[in-house]
Each structure stands twice: as structure tokens, then as C-alpha cells.
Amino acid sequence: MPDFGFVGTSYEAPSIYQDAQECINFFAEIDPQKAAGERGVVALYPTPGLLLQAQLANAEVRGMRALSGGQYLVAVAGNLVYKIDLTMAVSLIGSLTTVSGPVSISDNVTTSAGLTAYIVDGPNRYTWVSATNTFTKLLSSDGPWTGASIVDVVDNYNIYNEPDTRNWACTNLGSSLSTQALYGVKDGSPDNLISLIVDRRQVYLLGEVTSEVWTDVGNVIAGITTFPFARVPGTSMQSGCAAPFSVARFGDSFCFVAKDTRGNSTIEAIAGYTFKRMSSHAVEQTLVNQVVSDAIAYTYQIEGHEMYVVTFPSIGNGLTWVYDLSTNAWHKWLAFSNGEYYRHRSNCGAYFNNMYLVGDYQNGAIYSIENAVYTENGNPIRRLRRAIHLVADLQRYYFDEFQIQFQPGVGLVTGQGSDPQAMLRWSNDGGSTWSSEHWTTIGKIGKYKNRAIWRRLGTARDRIFEVSISDPVKAVIVSANLKSSVGEN
């Protein structure tokens, strides 16, 4: 039975007897040159590892942004604000009044000070002028209010919201130090403004259960100075945003955890002025009746795979889902410790210095995401694939031989991974209970003809195979084959 469905992605249904598939720390790649059913048309590749690039204060990395021009990365760990240059040298530039929770960062080029970062943490707004290395906490005289939780930039205006209201404002044109006294109000519906993002020079105001779009129309109309943005007619949307920091640019639009008057357990993207559902039922059932308002997200691209990474810190040990735009498929990206899976270590991300960098949610580390690294800063990654149910009208299946074609010969010279092992177990009752693990080698270094085979696997009426590997090697699953027969009872 060649390619019987072992190679696939995550889809655990509300009833595991319908579907119990898992794909943890693998992502799928489709070969467009092959026809459906051919060996290797879909392969599973290991998710990237993490390589330490810089160390900030031993605290949550709350946000980061590569500033325009590509010379500096601004990052916040705990209450401390840092700049990182192209040598990856870290310099302290300021401090915030808050110590935890996501921050939002933008930048613009001001007419008076040049390149300036704009940082908001909820209660307050701050600026950092790169030319003078000046860090400033903005006061009430610098705008209609002091606080903001989300900031973005359009037409050289920094735009930001007032938390827990429908209000949003902008700096003066070409300025980060002064803000117009006039401001806008998300006025299409009475729900509060949760998040905002600029897309194609239009400002998407994402409310609790509705959204609308505004655009720059200039700040002088008929000789009267006005707020420079106005609502675009016909752009009211009957969905909103459940988690302000789940909003991230993705493909030619953006993606986020959505919410409307009927619930909040979907992940959606904006297509024009309409919402497009991205999450599957399997993803959504993990979010039902859970706290999702603290979800955080970023996107990165590696080898043509653009990934939307969304973490739900309050679900279980933390849960990180990843959507791959190239395959329209989901997988889980999780850390492993003491026999349990946890949320992925990354808390935020930015592309800087020809690397995609992420910040650790606990310890102030800045890592690069690396396809050729198979640990998380030296810690093992446990990869797991759980396949489809093997059922033939609930008749007895006889399993003679199961073979997984891993990329062979990938063992290391010494240490863990010198003889990399795959660990197989199975369930004979639809995924309720599991066998012990059965180990076999996937091939020492240079052993390019190695085959990972398990034989004499017994019988079942409903069998699920699961394989895992934790050695720090390039664990690619190309295909799987099964020799089996079906009895009459």
C-alpha cells in the first residue's frame, strides 16, 4: 500500500475517531511536478531551528522592528528598549513604564530629526531619534492622549489608537514628536477599536465585532483644518478582531484571530473588504471556549514558504499554530520539555540583517530562524507525525511491514544524532490508547541506502500509526509504504 496517507498535515477532529492526525514540528512541501498518488508528491520537512544572535535582559521580548534603512533593529525586553546594529551589537536606549505584554513599534523619517522609532506599550507612547540617540516619553501635550497599544505608519504619519475606546490619532505629517490635536473615531458601529493596520495605504480599523477602512484625504478641506483621514464608503465589515496582537501581514493582505457577534474561534484574512476564513475545523476546535484575546502573531518566509505563526499563551501549556500559504495547510510548532509539548519559544519577529529574527517569550534571547539548525538554541526538538485511520469496514487488518522513507545518511559524526532513531507506536482503538515505542535507525552518516522498517506489527480493526524523532538531524519524511491484508472477521 504505497503512500497510504501517512504523509500529511495536522487535522485532529472534535472526535478522534473521525480524524486524529497530528503534524508537530514538520511542515509539508508539495512537488508540483508530480501527479497525485506518486511517491514524494508531498514530503514532510523539519521546522526551522533557533540560533542565538543576541541577548537582551532576562525577560519577555515584547516586540521588535527593523527600522527603515535596515541599519537598526529596535527591540523591547521587560521594560528596557534596545537597538541592535548590523554587527548584532546590543545597546540600551531607553526604558518603559510597563514590564510585560506586547508592545507595538513603527518608524518614520521626520523633517526635523530624521529616522525616528515610535513605540507604544498601552499607557504611554515613546520615540527614539537614531541620529541623536534620544529616547523620549511623550506627554499629554504631545497629543490628545498619552497612551496607545497599536501603532503603524502611512504617508509618513504614525497612527495609533487610544486603548479601550473607538478613538485613533496620528502624528503631524513627517513628525514623531508632535501629534495633531484632532483625531478620528471608528464611528460605523459602537464597538471599541481593538487593532489597526495599514494595507495599500488604507487604514483598517478592526473593532470588537465590526471593522471599517479609512484613507488619507488631506487635512485642509475648504480652508478648514481637519483630521487627515476619512472613512471609505462601503467598507463596513461585520466581523472584528479578538486579539489585537494577532494581526500580521500575510501574503498580499493580513491575517488575525477574528471575532463577530456569533463567536471568536476562527482565524481569517482580509480579501479586499471581506473576511476570508483561513482556519480549519481542527484548528478552531482547539480554540473553542478558550482565552484567545492574548494571541500573538508574526509572519516569516523561508524557501518560498510564507508562514503565519500564531501563539495562544493561555491554552494549555501554550499552543502555536502555523499556516503555510504555499500549501494552505496547518501544522503545530512546539517546544518539548519534560515529556510535554509547550508553545513555541518565539514571541515576536522581524527580518533584519538578512536573517529572520525572533524574540524569546521568557529569557530575552534573540534567535535567527535557521532551516539547517535542528535544535532550539541547543535544546532538542521532538517532531511527530500521526497518520490517518486505517480501517476496512472494521474488518481485521493484518500488518506485515511498515516502512518510512526518511532522507537517509543524515546522522552526525558524534553525540546525539550519530545514529538517529525513529520511534514508532500505534493505536488499535482509534487513538484512545497507544502501544509502547518501537525504535529503528534512519541511517548513520553516509548510509544512503538505509531503510526504516518495522515488521510483524499485529492486527487491528482501526489502526493509527505515529512516528516521532528527537535527534538533531535533517529528518525529512519522503513517503511511507505498508504491507498489509484484510481478513474476513
Side-chain angles (χ1 to χ4, degrees), residues 56 60-63 74-82 96 103 105 119:
L56 311 182
E60 171 195 11
V61 181
R62 303 169 60 190
V74 171
V76 177
N79 71 320
L80 301 179
V81 185
Y82 299 87
L96 310 182
V103 301
I105 308 172
I119 306 163

Side-chain angles (χ1 to χ4, degrees), residues 418-437:
S418 58
D419 185 13
Q421 301 286 308
M423 298 163 282
L424 179 72
R425 65 176 191 160
W426 55 83
S427 172
N428 289 337
D429 53 16
S432 295
T433 61
W434 293 86
S435 72
S436 58
E437 290 183 339

Side-chain angles (χ1 to χ4, degrees), residues 219-411:
N219 68 338
V220 178
I221 299 177
I224 301 174
T225 300
T226 67
F227 184 63
F229 296 88
R231 183 148 51 95
V232 178
T235 61
S236 296
M237 294 166 276
Q238 299 307 304
S239 289
C241 179
F245 290 94
S246 69
V247 182
R249 303 191 188 283
F250 192 51
D252 60 357
S253 183
F254 58 94
C255 202
F256 55 97
V257 180
K259 179 181 179 181
D260 57 30
T261 57
R262 301 170 297 281
N264 66 352
S265 61
T266 62
I267 299 172
E268 307 201 17
I270 287 289
Y273 302 132
T274 61
F275 282 56
K276 177 184 177 183
R277 176 173 170 261
M278 309 294 286
S279 50
S280 66
H281 292 305
V283 171
E284 291 155 2
Q285 69 96 11
T286 66
L287 310 182
V288 173
N289 298 325
Q290 300 288 338
V291 174
V292 300
S293 58
D294 58 355
I296 53 176
Y298 63 89
T299 53
Y300 77 94
Q301 184 272 124
I302 194 163
E303 293 186 357
H305 294 265
E306 186 169 357
M307 307 289 197
Y308 172 76
V309 181
V310 57
T311 294
F312 299 89
S314 297
I315 297 179
N317 293 329
L319 174 62
T320 301
W321 279 105
V322 182
Y323 182 79
D324 184 347
L325 185 61
S326 69
T327 58
N328 298 318
W330 290 89
H331 64 272
K332 292 177 181 176
W333 200 16
L334 303 174
F336 188 79
S337 178
N338 298 320
E340 293 189 61
Y341 283 106
Y342 297 82
R343 58 161 289 184
H344 194 256
R345 299 215 62 85
S346 60
N347 206 46
C348 52
Y351 185 72
F352 176 70
N353 201 12
N354 294 318
M355 297 179 287
Y356 197 90
L357 301 177
V358 295
D360 194 288
Y361 75 100
Q362 287 183 320
N363 62 20
I366 302 291
Y367 312 108
S368 58
I369 292 176
E370 302 285 349
N371 251 4
V373 172
Y374 307 111
T375 65
E376 292 179 342
N377 193 32
N379 296 311
I381 300 172
R382 184 179 176 90
R383 310 183 191 278
L384 182 146
R385 168 58 183 159
R386 183 182 301 157
I388 62 173
H389 290 263
L390 294 173
V391 181
D393 296 329
L394 293 178
Q395 299 301 302
R396 189 171 298 278
Y397 245 125
Y398 296 83
F399 298 99
D400 301 318
E401 178 182 288
F402 178 48
Q403 175 179 239
I404 299 178
Q405 185 185 1
F406 287 94
Q407 180 172 326
V410 295

Side-chain angles (χ1 to χ4, degrees), residues 163-184:
D164 302 317
T165 73
R166 294 180 293 140
N167 302 332
W168 65 290
C170 68
T171 60
N172 287 322
L173 184 63
S175 174
S176 286
L177 301 178
S178 60
T179 297
Q180 298 189 16
L182 300 172
Y183 59 90

